Amino acid sequence: CEHTGLPWPLAGPAAHMLVLETESAAPGEVAMELPDDLDVVVAIDAADKARFWTYREAAGEAVTAQHVAHRFDVTVPRHDWDAFVADAVSRLREVPDVSHVYAFGHLYDGNLHVEVIGPDADDERADAVVLQCVADHGGSISAEHGVGRAKAAYLHLSRTSAELALMRSVKDAVDPHGLFNPGALFAG
């Protein structure tokens, strides 16, 4: 809210916030049944809808506007999000210089963005902790943004030797001379 200048959207504090988009024939009508004990705000028009999505879309921007973050784009089974985040935060408390952990994502596909403030950008202690935690919770160290160079050394945490061999064979078949993004996932 501070980063965007938007007000807190709910009546009170909340441990979690969910932006859910549905369609209905009547403006302001909620197209699904919701429990009565939820603090719910409904978009009435396009401006409301855009504002609500800004809360989610600006989450990463808000973190990086004030901090250099270790950023992770991972997947964890949806049913395990709370346990994963609690476990990751607990493990990260043991890493010197970690000051904050933020998590937000895409509920439907299990994709989480985890942003860790501290240690220095070239210090991979937090990276190893988060990615091992992902593997321990049955997730994948790579989600919508791929593995790239930064996570290549950790790929074995969420892929078997057979899967890695298959990936290598596909890469070799498509790019036998190693011209496409050389060294990004497989060296040599």
Side-chain angles (χ1 to χ4, degrees):
C1 291
E2 182 181 321
H3 175 70
T4 61
L6 292 173
W8 180 251
L10 303 174
H16 302 88
M17 187 182 303
L18 174 67
V19 176
L20 179 66
E21 186 171 336
T22 65
E23 290 190 26
S24 176
E29 178 181 87
V30 178
M32 63 187 300
E33 293 295 319
L34 297 170
D36 291 335
D37 62 341
L38 292 179
D39 187 354
V40 177
V41 181
V42 177
I44 303 299
D45 56 28
D48 283 347
K49 182 178 171 183
R51 181 170 41 88
F52 291 170
W53 277 108
T54 298
Y55 288 107
R56 164 53 187 91
E57 292 169 351
E61 295 171 13
V63 173
T64 56
Q66 297 183 0
H67 309 282
V68 174
H70 292 255
R71 303 178 86 178
F72 305 94
D73 174 41
V74 298
T75 49
V76 175
R78 289 187 302 273
H79 69 273
D80 204 30
W81 272 21
D82 285 344
F84 163 74
V85 171
D87 191 13
V89 168
S90 175
R91 293 181 194 195
L92 286 163
R93 283 189 187 117
E94 303 300 318
V95 178
D97 304 322
V98 169
S99 62
H100 292 84
V101 179
Y102 301 96
F104 51 94
H106 314 226
L107 182 66
Y108 185 77
D109 63 6
N111 180 218
L112 275 173
H113 298 280
V114 179
E115 303 208 1
V116 179
I117 309 307
D120 291 336
D122 61 346
D123 185 332
E124 292 191 20
R125 290 174 296 165
D127 302 56
V129 167
V130 170
L131 297 176
Q132 183 63 59
C133 190
V134 167
D136 292 347
H137 284 265
S140 174
I141 67 162
S142 175
E144 67 181 317
H145 297 291
V147 175
R149 296 180 198 285
K151 293 185 199 171
Y154 300 97
L155 191 55
H156 69 280
L157 294 174
S158 62
R159 294 292 171 250
T160 66
S161 297
E163 289 171 324
L164 292 171
L166 178 61
M167 291 168 67
R168 176 59 150 180
S169 68
V170 169
K171 166 75 169 150
D172 288 345
V174 173
D175 183 20
H177 303 293
L179 301 175
F180 306 144
N181 210 2
L185 186 54
F186 298 109

